[in-house]
Amino acid sequence: MTDSPQGLVLVAVAVLLVLVALLPRAEVRHPLVSLVRVLVPSWRFFDDLQVTPTLLVRVAPDGAPFGAWRPILAPPPRSVVHLVWNPAGNLLLAQQSLLERLLMDVAEWDDTDPRGPETLVSYQLVLNLVRAKLAADGDVPRGATCQFKLVETSHAAGAASDRTPGSAPGDLVISREHEA
Amino acid sequence: MTPPDAWTTLRLVEMVAAVAVIQGTLELLATRRALADDGTWRWATLARELRWLAPLLAYRPFLALLVARLALAALLLAGVRPGVAPALWITSLLVNIRFRGSSNGGSDMMQMVVLTALVVAHAAGPLGDWLGIPSGVLVSAALLYVAAQAMMSYFIAGVVKIINAPWRSGAALASFVATPHFGTPAALRRLLSGRTALLAASWSVMLFECLFPVAFLDPRLALVMVTIAGLFHLGNVAAFGLNRFLLAWAATWPAVVYASSLMP
């Protein structure tokens, strides 16, 4: 293959791409750049095992203590229809991206900033998600308080049967208490 | 075999891209509650960053934008060209901006790659006259851009996996199928619970992705590689529910076959 001119060109392009792929990932965090990041493709799909957050929520009825932490995002059971129609599954992926964005934003938060990370747009979006899910579930009494946290999802290799979120978690982000 | 010419290839790319946009837009409309004023992506929160886009991205205008995008994609599917690709490009970018960058990750990126190429290809006549270049050359260049991005998407994804020890050992794939939000079916998780199956699946993915550039050597090889790519994306739908990726990448495959036919 490498004897032909097109083979040599292909090998040269491949070497160049390998070098590009090996460059360290550079995140440009400017808000405007972030908004149009879809115009700058990154093709490093599933490249490494990053921390995957799981969203847990607990609710306290008016004046009562908090209940147990529980997950509120569950993937829809897979069906062959999902090949062409998977709005709930894709919504869940977008919600998961929100959680990952909050993790990044909190990691970069300046601790000396008196406003607190709850002023972050990504924090407010996750709080919106929590409130919308609780309202949709319809099991939140009037005047209730809620709190959410992101915990590290168990990624143990070979633990495919252990899918209990928070089974071996580390807390990543814990919210303040908010009106549910 | 006779490879397709540039104009036939462009039409194929247009049609698949249009169906991909229709699919994605209908899915967004089906989940519009999440965008409403009591939903997750409520405008009151997003306005802190995007207030200047309120006439386009507040809830009601955004629904109108999605309907317009749907209509534009239907026009593209029907073969209408003037003004359609730039309008689709702009509406698609706005949809992604409302999700603070992207609603569906890589599939949005590939969709923008294809729409960018369509903008150039559809303007090939006047643009070619202005630049003094035959319009056919510009259409070919647009298709080659799509083919190159498709090749890079597989090849770079393959390289970053193969240099990663957990991927080579199968541990990475085991971890991804165990990630709750992907909702990998239990049967598939059981199938990938053994070391041999995990290694076979991991190495199949890495080898396919790393070898994708050979598609450019010959149109027959290109057909083989895009067929494998189709199976790969079907597997991703089954394992991770990534259905929008299937059509987003399928729109690039005619360009890959076309590019391979240009090799002397």
Side-chain angles (χ1 to χ4, degrees):
Chain A
M1 178 179 105
T2 52
D3 291 341
S4 61
Q6 63 265 43
L8 285 173
V9 169
L10 204 59
V11 169
V13 171
V15 169
L16 183 67
L17 288 176
V18 168
L19 293 175
V20 170
L22 295 178
L23 288 174
R25 189 193 301 251
E27 289 273 348
V28 181
R29 301 287 291 151
H30 190 281
L32 280 178
V33 175
S34 181
L35 286 177
V36 294
R37 68 190 152 93
V38 75
L39 298 177
V40 188
S42 165
W43 304 128
R44 294 165 168 249
F45 298 127
F46 296 94
D47 56 340
D48 56 9
L49 300 177
Q50 294 168 334
V51 172
T52 307
T54 293
L55 177 63
L56 301 181
V57 173
R58 63 178 182 172
V59 176
D62 195 10
F66 274 107
W69 291 104
R70 60 186 173 92
I72 57 166
L73 298 179
R78 188 82 76 247
S79 125
V80 71
V81 177
H82 288 166
L83 193 59
V84 291
W85 185 249
N86 189 17
N90 282 314
L91 179 65
L92 183 70
L93 293 177
Q95 291 164 338
Q96 189 65 30
S97 296
L98 277 187
L99 307 183
E100 287 162 11
R101 178 74 180 266
L102 174 58
L103 263 192
M104 278 199 305
D105 288 349
V106 167
E108 292 181 359
W109 182 257
D110 178 2
D111 288 335
T112 62
D113 191 326
R115 293 174 301 166
E118 56 274 12
T119 57
L120 285 165
V121 170
S122 49
Y123 182 102
Q124 291 297 322
L125 288 173
V126 173
L127 180 59
N128 293 346
L129 168 63
V130 168
R131 285 173 168 156
K133 290 295 280 185
L134 291 175
D137 291 348
D139 59 354
V140 182
R142 204 173 183 77
T145 305
C146 68
Q147 189 176 25
F148 70 83
K149 68 174 178 177
L150 303 185
V151 298
E152 190 172 349
T153 306
S154 173
H155 261 311
S161 60
D162 177 11
R163 292 170 53 77
T164 308
S167 55
D171 289 350
L172 301 168
V173 173
I174 301 183
S175 79
R176 290 190 175 185
E177 296 173 13
H178 296 278
E179 187 183 325
Chain B
M1 66 177 275
T2 310
D5 63 84
W7 295 100
T8 308
T9 304
L10 177 65
R11 184 72 193 117
L12 286 171
V13 170
E14 280 174 2
M15 290 167 72
V16 184
V19 173
V21 172
I22 289 170
Q23 178 201 40
T25 310
L26 285 174
E27 286 193 347
L28 285 174
L29 284 167
T31 53
R32 62 189 177 280
R33 184 70 198 270
L35 309 168
D37 293 336
D38 58 352
T40 302
W41 286 271
R42 64 189 68 171
W43 182 248
T45 305
L46 294 169
R48 284 177 49 197
E49 288 179 337
L50 305 172
R51 191 176 307 281
W52 49 289
L53 285 170
L56 293 167
L57 298 187
Y59 181 54
R60 292 285 167 195
F62 187 66
L63 289 185
L65 184 86
L66 288 177
V67 172
R69 188 181 186 230
L70 205 54
L72 287 164
L75 287 173
L76 185 66
L77 186 61
V80 178
R81 283 184 176 154
V84 169
L88 263 178
W89 191 93
I90 291 167
T91 52
S92 297
L93 182 62
L94 286 168
V95 167
N96 285 301
I97 285 175
R98 201 188 195 277
F99 284 90
R100 304 179 78 213
S102 169
S103 68
N104 204 243
S107 77
D108 295 325
M109 290 175 183
M110 190 52 95
Q111 210 159 71
M112 292 307 295
V113 163
V114 172
L115 289 176
T116 302
L118 291 183
V119 169
V120 172
H122 289 184
L127 198 59
D129 289 344
W130 185 61
L131 294 170
I133 298 171
S135 61
V137 172
L138 281 176
V139 172
S140 285
L143 292 172
L144 289 177
Y145 170 68
V146 171
Q149 287 287 352
M151 184 271 281
M152 285 197 294
S153 71
Y154 293 116
F155 185 67
I156 290 177
V159 169
V160 295
K161 286 186 184 79
I162 214 161
I163 61 171
N164 208 323
W167 261 101
R168 294 195 302 273
S169 69
L173 186 57
S175 175
F176 288 121
V177 298
T179 302
H181 70 261
F182 285 128
T184 307
L188 202 50
R189 281 187 279 122
R190 273 196 301 276
L191 187 70
L192 291 172
S193 59
R195 181 169 164 74
T196 308
L198 263 180
L199 279 174
S202 300
W203 279 94
S204 298
V205 168
M206 289 187 290
L207 288 177
F208 155 68
E209 290 184 328
C210 289
L211 289 175
F212 194 84
V214 304
F216 290 126
L217 290 178
D218 185 280
R220 286 162 299 189
L221 269 176
L223 282 175
V224 170
M225 293 311 283
V226 298
T227 302
I228 298 173
L231 296 172
F232 167 72
H233 285 283
L234 285 174
N236 283 340
V237 178
F240 305 120
L242 303 175
N243 67 325
R244 288 193 207 162
F245 285 65
L246 174 63
L247 282 176
W249 261 261
T252 71
W253 298 336
V256 171
V257 176
Y258 171 75
S260 73
S261 74
L262 298 183
M263 284 290 183

